[in-house]
């Protein structure tokens, strides 16, 4: 039997380019990781002293519908441009070292523009070369179901190569998307916020615990790769903050704060380091609202985020659990390999061990925010009693009660609150006793919630000396009989209206009668 020649149809191009990503913003990550790899190479080759000599500049122009991503690294030699930029999934990069290694991501822009232009110059060459992909023509060919073109012939048809003069000392690589047809990609503010968590950039200077993270990385001999990246001239920094907010971008309200961070290691059964990470300690009052851009424990490899904020949610007992935290999980093992979409890792033994050990850590974090909830609830019962007891004393002294019945009802409620407060105080005592010397996270949560030593609630007296001043006592213009009538009216007001409205109405009536 004659051997049949293998052919690859044009539809594979659509699968690897036009249909690759669910979130269009992922293309920025792909181009950034390619630029980062070239900056790494520039450092390795001695062109740069450090990563900070490299620069990645993104320009988003909604009016002209163009996007460009430029780096000042090695560029590509003229002789290699077509071989590298026309081939698909034929990368020569080392997957154990490089951030991008499949040779697919650079073509992601084809799905969202009319043209994709690669422009590059290599140091020592006096030319710059262009390789242009005609995305409109490519889509037209792929969508024409009456023809069965071979993939390589389609690529040859939709690409063109040209060159121009350039300074011989120039070295750069630039990707330009022309005729961008996706509005999400042209929203420069949203793209900036997206990259603050996805891109390999430094921590915000206002995040005071960043030195603890760097110290842990140094202890593990792990380099957190950080690059100078700009969106329309604005430097991108990780958006971790010291405060937690509710609301939206236009009206934010502080609801909690970061008190400290904890670092940890994820190791396999042979004690080999698979990953390490950190998480922020707050009072864990609620799931962090979406206005906190940095919420969730973020999975990273090469300091580039894998997937989105929910990439690790499946490893928590509650899927929402990861959103109680700011934090990161830095994958270290070379066997933890990002999949082609970079939304998770490829399945292998290392991944199974990684997930197993991380689930154990996340179980501790699950217990941590539930512990915080119990401590806060018990402290609130104590605070509620103390506040109510103080209010009782003030109302007794300043004429805040309508009559004896209202006062008696208040005392009964106060006694119930005291009973709950005593029980809560006992629970707090037991909770503190159970905190071990190694459980620093729970210790910090307890200290932040129970900031001052509570008084022994059982010894607090409900002060009722029987000489209560009532609200009608100041209405001296009325007879005693009339004041009793007014008191009854006030009693009705109390039963019909909310406490705030009742108090306001009673004061108004009192003013009129005086």
């Amino acid at each position: 039997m004659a051997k049949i020649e293998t052919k690859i149809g044009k539809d594979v191009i659509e699968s690897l380019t036009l249909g690759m990503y669910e979130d269009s913003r992922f293309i920025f990550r792909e181009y950034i990781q390619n630029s980062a790899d070239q900056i790494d190479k520039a450092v390795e080759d001695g062109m740069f002293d450090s990563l900070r000599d490299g620069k990645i500049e993104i320009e988003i122009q909604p009016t002209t519908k163009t996007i460009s991503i430029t780096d000042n690294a090695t560029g590509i030699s003229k002789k290699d441009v077509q071989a590298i930029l026309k081939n698909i999934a034929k990368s020569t990069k080392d997957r154990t070292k490089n951030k991008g290694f499949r040779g697919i991501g650079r073509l992601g822009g084809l799905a969202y523009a009319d043209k994709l232009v690669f422009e590059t110059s290599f140091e020592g060459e006096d030319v710059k070369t262009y390789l242009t992909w005609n995305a409109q023509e490519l889509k037209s060919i792929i969508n024409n179901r009456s023809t069965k073109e071979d993939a390589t012939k389609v690529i040859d048809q939709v690409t063109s190569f040209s060159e121009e003069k350039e300074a011989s000392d120039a070295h750069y690589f630039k990707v330009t998307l022309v005729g961008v047809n996706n509005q999400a990609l042209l929203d420069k503010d949203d793209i900036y916020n997206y990259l603050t968590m996805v891109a390999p950039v430094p921590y915000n200077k206002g995040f005071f615990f960043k030195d603890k993270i760097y110290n842990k990385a140094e202890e593990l001999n792990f380099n957190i790769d950080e690059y100078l990246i700009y969106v329309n001239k604005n430097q991108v920094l990780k958006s971790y903050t010291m405060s937690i907010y509710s609301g939206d971008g236009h009206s934010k309200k502080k609801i909690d704060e970061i008190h400290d961070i904890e670092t940890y290691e994820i190791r396999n059964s042979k004690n080999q380091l698979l990953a390490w990470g950190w998480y922020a300690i707050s009072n864990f009052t609620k799931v962090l609202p979406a206005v906190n851009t940095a919420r969730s424990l973020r999975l990273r490899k090469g300091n580039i985020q894998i997937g989105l904020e929910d990439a690790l949610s499946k490893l928590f007992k509650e899927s929402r659990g990861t959103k109680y935290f700011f934090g990161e999980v830095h994958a270290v093992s070379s066997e933890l390999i990002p999949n082609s979409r970079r939304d998770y890792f490829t399945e292998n033994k290392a991944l199974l061990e990684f997930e197993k050990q991380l689930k154990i850590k996340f179980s501790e974090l699950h217990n941590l925010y539930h512990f915080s909830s119990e401590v806060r609830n018990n402290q609130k019962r104590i605070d509620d009693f103390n506040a109510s007891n103080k209010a009782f004393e003030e109302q007794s002294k300043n004429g805040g009660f309508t009559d004896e019945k209202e006062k008696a009802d208040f005392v009964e409620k106060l006694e119930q609150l005291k009973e709950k407060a005593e029980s809560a105080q006992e629970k707090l005592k037991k909770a503190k006793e159970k905190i071990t010397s190694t459980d620093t996270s729970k210790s910090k949560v307890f200290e932040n919630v129970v900031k001052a030593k509570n008084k022994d609630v059982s010894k607090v007296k409900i002060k009722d000396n029987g000489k209560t001043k009532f609200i009608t006592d100041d209405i001296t213009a009325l007879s005693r009989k009339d004041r009793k009538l007014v008191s009854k009216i006030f009693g009705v007001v109390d039963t019909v209206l909310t406490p705030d409205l009742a108090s306001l109405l009673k004061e108004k009536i009192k003013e009129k009668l005086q």
Side-chain angles (χ1 to χ4, degrees):
M1 180 183 288
K3 188 175 182 179
I4 299 175
E5 181 184 358
T6 301
K7 292 186 177 182
I8 300 176
K10 63 183 178 181
D11 288 345
V12 74
I13 304 175
E14 180 179 31
S15 298
L16 294 177
T17 58
L18 308 182
M20 191 66 184
Y21 306 112
E22 291 181 4
D23 189 328
S24 61
R25 298 174 301 176
F26 281 8
I27 66 167
F28 285 100
R29 181 198 62 199
E30 296 296 331
Y31 292 129
I32 285 172
Q33 72 185 21
N34 285 336
S35 290
D37 280 336
Q38 293 311 112
I39 292 172
D40 291 344
K41 190 174 188 306
V43 173
E44 186 179 318
D45 293 348
M47 178 183 289
F48 292 159
D49 291 330
S50 71
L51 297 184
R52 296 191 69 81
D53 292 326
K55 184 184 289 187
I56 302 171
E57 298 182 280
I58 298 170
E59 285 291 330
I60 301 173
Q61 300 298 336
T63 53
T64 59
K65 296 185 177 181
T66 59
I67 296 171
S68 66
I69 302 96
T70 309
D71 68 68
N72 64 341
T74 61
I76 301 175
S77 176
K78 172 186 172 181
K79 64 181 176 59
D80 296 326
V81 167
Q82 294 194 61
I84 292 175
L85 299 180
K86 278 183 66 176
N87 290 328
I88 296 179
K90 195 179 178 182
S91 175
T92 59
K93 292 182 180 181
D94 184 347
R95 67 173 55 201
T96 65
K97 187 170 71 172
N98 296 120
K99 296 172 177 65
F101 51 81
R102 286 191 172 88
I104 298 173
R106 62 175 170 268
L107 299 181
L110 288 170
Y112 310 108
D114 294 337
K115 286 184 180 180
L116 181 63
V117 182
F118 297 114
E119 175 187 346
T120 186
S121 180
F122 190 76
E123 189 172 34
E125 298 181 348
D126 61 355
V127 297
K128 58 180 175 181
T129 54
Y130 295 90
L131 183 69
T132 302
W133 286 70
N134 188 327
Q136 280 189 318
E137 185 179 3
L138 175 61
K139 293 168 190 173
S140 177
I141 293 172
I142 290 175
N143 291 331
N144 183 355
R145 308 317 298 170
S146 63
T147 59
K148 304 292 182 183
E149 294 93 339
D150 182 76
T152 55
K153 291 182 180 179
V154 171
I155 293 173
D156 287 338
Q157 182 176 335
V158 301
T159 57
S160 59
F161 176 77
S162 62
E163 60 181 67
E164 293 179 6
K165 282 288 185 181
E166 179 60 284
S168 61
D169 61 349
H171 50 89
Y172 60 85
F173 188 86
K174 182 177 182 179
V175 182
T176 303
L177 281 70
V178 181
V180 177
N181 50 44
N182 182 294
Q183 289 302 311
L185 296 179
L186 295 171
D187 185 340
K188 57 182 182 294
D189 292 332
D190 181 66
I191 296 303
Y192 179 91
N193 288 332
Y194 167 77
L195 291 178
T196 61
M197 298 312 301
V198 171
V201 294
Y203 295 96
N204 191 311
K205 292 180 180 179
F207 188 58
F208 301 147
F209 296 116
K210 60 183 181 295
D211 287 342
K212 275 194 170 185
I213 301 171
Y214 291 132
N215 290 341
K216 183 63 177 180
E218 185 177 357
E219 174 193 326
L220 297 170
N221 197 29
F222 178 88
N223 291 321
I224 302 178
D225 294 337
E226 296 177 339
Y227 303 84
L228 298 179
I229 300 177
Y230 300 84
V231 173
N232 289 27
K233 311 301 181 186
N234 296 314
Q235 186 179 2
V236 181
L237 299 168
K238 287 180 182 175
S239 55
Y240 296 111
T241 63
M242 297 299 294
S243 299
I244 296 171
Y245 300 94
S246 63
D248 54 40
H250 303 289
S251 178
K252 296 194 300 184
K253 177 184 177 183
K254 180 179 174 180
I255 59 172
D256 202 352
E257 61 185 20
I258 303 304
H259 306 300
D260 206 342
I261 69 165
E262 289 280 350
T263 60
Y264 59 92
E265 301 170 18
I266 301 298
R267 294 182 177 273
N268 63 17
S269 57
K270 297 179 180 179
N271 201 37
Q272 296 170 325
L273 186 66
L274 296 175
W276 67 278
W278 64 271
Y279 58 89
I281 298 174
S282 65
N283 287 350
F284 304 112
T285 55
K286 61 190 297 186
V287 165
L288 274 58
V291 70
N292 300 280
T293 305
R295 73 174 183 174
S296 298
L297 298 172
R298 308 293 181 120
L299 180 59
R300 308 184 80 83
K301 183 72 183 284
N303 201 24
I304 297 176
Q305 183 171 293
I306 302 295
L308 294 174
E309 67 173 30
D310 59 351
L312 294 172
S313 62
K314 64 181 181 181
L315 302 182
F316 259 85
K317 288 184 178 180
E318 299 173 308
S319 59
R320 62 178 185 149
T322 182
K323 293 179 182 176
Y324 277 92
F325 301 88
F326 289 153
E328 296 173 334
V329 178
H330 288 273
V332 175
S333 172
S334 60
E335 295 180 35
L336 291 173
I337 303 167
N339 61 25
S340 58
R341 295 161 64 98
R342 284 190 75 91
D343 56 8
Y344 203 54
F345 295 130
T346 56
E347 292 190 16
N348 56 29
K349 290 182 179 179
L351 177 62
L352 293 175
E353 185 70 15
F354 168 77
E355 290 184 335
K356 176 184 175 182
Q357 298 301 327
L358 199 56
K359 280 182 179 180
I360 294 172
K361 187 63 192 180
F362 284 177
S363 179
E364 294 175 14
L365 299 189
H366 170 87
N367 293 336
L368 178 61
Y369 64 76
H370 278 282
F371 171 81
S372 175
S373 176
E374 292 172 5
V375 171
R376 283 185 286 105
N377 288 337
N378 285 319
Q379 183 60 45
K380 186 177 183 301
R381 292 185 181 100
I382 296 171
D383 293 340
D384 286 348
F385 166 70
N386 289 331
S388 294
N389 194 34
K390 184 178 180 181
F392 175 75
E393 292 179 15
E394 290 178 352
Q395 285 185 244
S396 296
K397 181 179 178 182
N398 301 320
F401 291 114
T402 300
D403 52 28
E404 286 288 354
K405 183 180 183 305
E406 185 186 12
K407 177 186 173 183
D409 289 343
F410 199 116
V411 171
E412 183 179 355
K413 178 184 175 182
L414 199 53
E415 288 173 343
Q416 292 173 353
L417 289 175
K418 182 180 180 181
E419 185 178 337
K420 290 179 180 179
E422 288 175 350
S423 174
Q425 195 162 57
E426 185 62 27
K427 289 177 182 178
L428 285 178
K429 180 182 177 182
K430 290 180 179 179
K432 187 176 183 180
E433 290 172 350
K434 288 180 180 179
I435 299 174
T436 64
S437 58
T438 58
D439 204 346
T440 55
S441 294
K442 284 187 177 180
S443 179
K444 288 171 183 175
V445 167
F446 192 93
E447 289 171 4
N448 288 313
V449 174
V450 188
K451 291 182 178 179
K453 186 177 180 181
N454 293 313
K455 294 180 181 178
D456 188 344
V457 176
S458 65
K459 295 180 180 180
V460 176
K461 303 291 185 182
I462 298 175
K463 296 180 181 179
D464 180 10
N465 56 15
K467 297 180 180 179
T468 305
K469 182 180 179 182
F470 294 105
I471 194 171
T472 55
D473 290 351
D474 289 336
I475 312 176
T476 54
L478 298 181
S479 66
R480 189 171 182 180
K481 181 179 179 181
D482 289 339
R483 287 202 297 271
K484 285 186 177 181
L485 177 60
V486 172
S487 180
K488 290 180 180 180
I489 294 172
F490 282 174
V492 174
V493 169
D494 287 332
T495 61
V496 173
L497 301 179
T498 62
D500 288 344
L501 287 175
S503 178
L504 179 62
L505 180 57
K506 288 189 291 186
E507 284 299 323
K508 291 295 182 182
I509 293 173
K510 184 178 172 182
E511 287 175 12
K512 289 293 183 181
L513 294 176
Q514 285 176 321

